[in-house]
Amino acid sequence: METIGVLMACSMSSYLEQELDKRFNLLRYWNFSDKKEFINNYSHLIRAVVGHAAAAAGAELIEALPKLEIVSSFSVGLDKTDLNKCKEKGIRVTNTPHVLTDDVADLAIGLMLAVLRRICECDRYVKKRLWKAGDFKLTSKFSGKTVGIIGLGRIGLAIAKRAEAFGCLISYYARAEKPDTNYKYYPTVVQLATNCEILVVACALTPETRYIVNHEVIDALGAKGILINIGRGPHVDEKELVSALLDGRLGGTGLDVFENEPEVPEQLFGLENVVLLPHVASGIKEMRKEMADIVIGNLEAHFQNKPLLTPVA
C-alpha cells in the first residue's frame, strides 16, 4: 500500500505519523504553505485523509480531491469533516469512538472536584507559603450534588455512573428521552439547568448544539451553579460565560475546551472559581496509541476490502 496517497491534515501524533509513513505514501498537509499549489500537484494521488477534531476534511478539500475514498479521524468528534459532502460523494468516514470514553469521563469528575473543592487554588496557597498565615477558606462538597448532563451518549453515561458513585442525583437533556435509563429527563436545556447544581456539556458539536449553553441557560444554572465543559468549545457562548462569572451570576466553571483554541479569554485567568485545562481530556499516552492503531486499522481494512473497524453511519 506504499503507493496509496494519504493526506494527514495536521500534526497530531508522532506514532501515528511514523506508522502511516511505513504503510502509505504519507503527505503532511501542514508542511506546504501554498495549499492551492499542493492540491494542484498532489490531488490525483490522495485516496485518504487522516484528520481529527481540529482539522479534517471540509467541503472545499473534499471537492478538491477527486480520488478521495475515506476520511479516518483521529478523534471522536467529526465537526471538521463535512459528513453531508462525504455521503454525497460516497466517501467512507471512521472515527475512534470507544477509546476516549472512560478517560474523558474521569476528567469531567476531576474538574467538578477541582472547582468545588478549589484544588488548584489550594495548591497555590501552599506553594506560596500562605498556610502559615492561616487555614484555607471553606469550600463546597461534591457528594450528593444534582448533576445535569447535556448529551447522554457513551461519555455522558460514563460521567453519570461516576457521579452516582458520589451519591449525586443525575438528570439529562438529549434530543429524545432514553428508554433504557432511570435518570430524570428534561425536554429543554433551560429546564435541566434550572434543576441541577452542576451542568456538564457532553454532547457532539452540531449546528443545533452550537451555543447550546447561552445566556438563558447560564442564568438558569444560577449564582451557585457550576458549568463543566468537556465537549467542544463552541457549545458554550464564551462571552456570556465570561460576563456571568465576572458578574457573579455563575458559581464557577471547569473547562477543557474553548471556542477559539488555543485562545482563552484573559478575563478568566484571575478567577479562582475557574479551572482551565488545555484540551487534555484525551491526552493520555495509552489512549493516543490505541486511537492511532484504530485509524491505521480502518485505513488498512478499507484498502484491503475488509469491514471497517469503526465506521460512522
Side-chain angles (χ1 to χ4, degrees):
M1 291 187 285
E2 292 84 358
T3 60
I4 295 173
V6 174
L7 177 66
M8 199 171 189
C10 64
S11 180
M12 56 192 83
S13 161
S14 58
Y15 169 77
L16 175 58
E17 199 173 324
Q18 291 164 9
E19 294 303 311
L20 288 172
D21 239 342
K22 293 176 186 176
R23 295 166 170 81
F24 303 97
N25 177 15
L26 181 62
L27 301 167
R28 296 163 174 83
Y29 201 30
W30 66 94
N31 283 343
F32 297 86
S33 56
D34 190 332
K35 298 297 191 283
K36 188 174 181 180
E37 182 183 3
F38 169 80
I39 293 296
N40 288 337
N41 291 336
Y42 295 100
S43 62
H44 64 289
L45 298 175
I46 298 168
R47 296 172 61 188
V49 169
V50 172
H52 67 8
E60 185 177 352
L61 181 61
I62 292 170
E63 289 288 0
L65 301 176
K67 303 290 187 182
L68 185 61
E69 301 172 22
I70 183 171
V71 177
S72 188
S73 184
F74 182 68
S75 67
V76 176
L78 294 164
D79 34 294
K80 296 298 183 180
T81 296
D82 192 318
L83 296 178
N84 291 329
K85 184 64 68 173
C86 287
K87 184 177 180 181
E88 175 190 321
K89 298 280 188 180
I91 297 165
R92 307 174 86 180
V93 179
T94 66
N95 65 348
T96 57
H98 306 292
V99 182
L100 308 172
T101 302
D102 287 334
D103 298 299
V104 174
D106 289 349
L107 192 77
I109 298 297
L111 280 171
M112 296 181 213
L113 287 164
V115 175
L116 288 165
R117 299 302 305 271
R118 301 292 181 94
I119 292 174
C120 299
E121 190 181 355
C122 285
D123 175 74
R124 289 191 291 272
Y125 191 81
V126 174
K127 288 177 178 176
K128 290 179 179 178
R129 297 178 174 82
L130 297 175
W131 193 9
K132 294 178 180 180
D135 290 339
F136 190 75
K137 62 190 174 186
L138 299 180
T139 60
S140 298
K141 67 183 295 182
F142 171 49
S143 297
K145 286 283 193 291
T146 54
V147 176
I149 302 172
I150 302 175
L152 205 66
R154 285 183 297 270
I155 292 174
L157 278 170
I159 293 169
K161 290 177 181 177
R162 284 159 171 74
E164 274 191 298
F166 286 84
C168 295
L169 298 175
I170 310 299
S171 55
Y172 72 99
Y173 163 81
R175 285 177 293 182
E177 187 170 1
K178 306 287 184 180
D180 53 351
T181 180
N182 294 321
Y183 300 140
K184 173 70 175 176
Y185 172 72
Y186 287 100
T188 71
V189 178
V190 172
Q191 287 175 280
L192 177 67
T194 302
N195 290 281
C196 69
E197 297 166 284
I198 303 171
L199 182 65
V200 184
V201 185
C203 57
L205 181 62
T206 67
E208 293 74 27
T209 62
R210 184 174 291 271
Y211 284 4
I212 196 168
V213 177
N214 54 23
H215 179 94
E216 187 179 9
V217 171
I218 291 171
D219 277 359
L221 188 55
K224 294 184 179 180
I226 304 297
L227 175 68
I228 303 295
N229 189 5
I230 47 79
R232 290 284 181 266
H235 281 133
V236 177
D237 186 332
E238 214 162 73
K239 290 182 180 178
E240 289 292 343
L241 174 64
V242 171
S243 174
L245 288 164
L246 294 175
D247 294 344
R249 291 184 289 112
L250 183 66
T253 189
L255 306 173
D256 184 47
V257 289
F258 302 88
E259 195 168 343
N260 297 297
E261 296 175 3
E263 299 299 324
V264 178
E266 291 193 15
Q267 299 99 314
L268 298 178
F269 294 165
L271 301 178
E272 294 293 1
N273 58 343
V274 172
V275 176
L276 308 173
L277 304 180
H279 201 154
V280 293
S282 65
I284 296 174
K285 294 177 183 177
E286 299 89 345
M287 184 201 301
R288 292 288 175 91
K289 182 180 183 300
E290 191 173 349
M291 290 167 63
D293 289 338
I294 291 172
V295 169
I296 295 161
N298 277 313
L299 291 175
E300 290 181 330
H302 170 75
F303 290 114
Q304 293 171 3
N305 295 313
K306 296 178 180 178
L308 297 175
L309 305 182
T310 54
V312 174

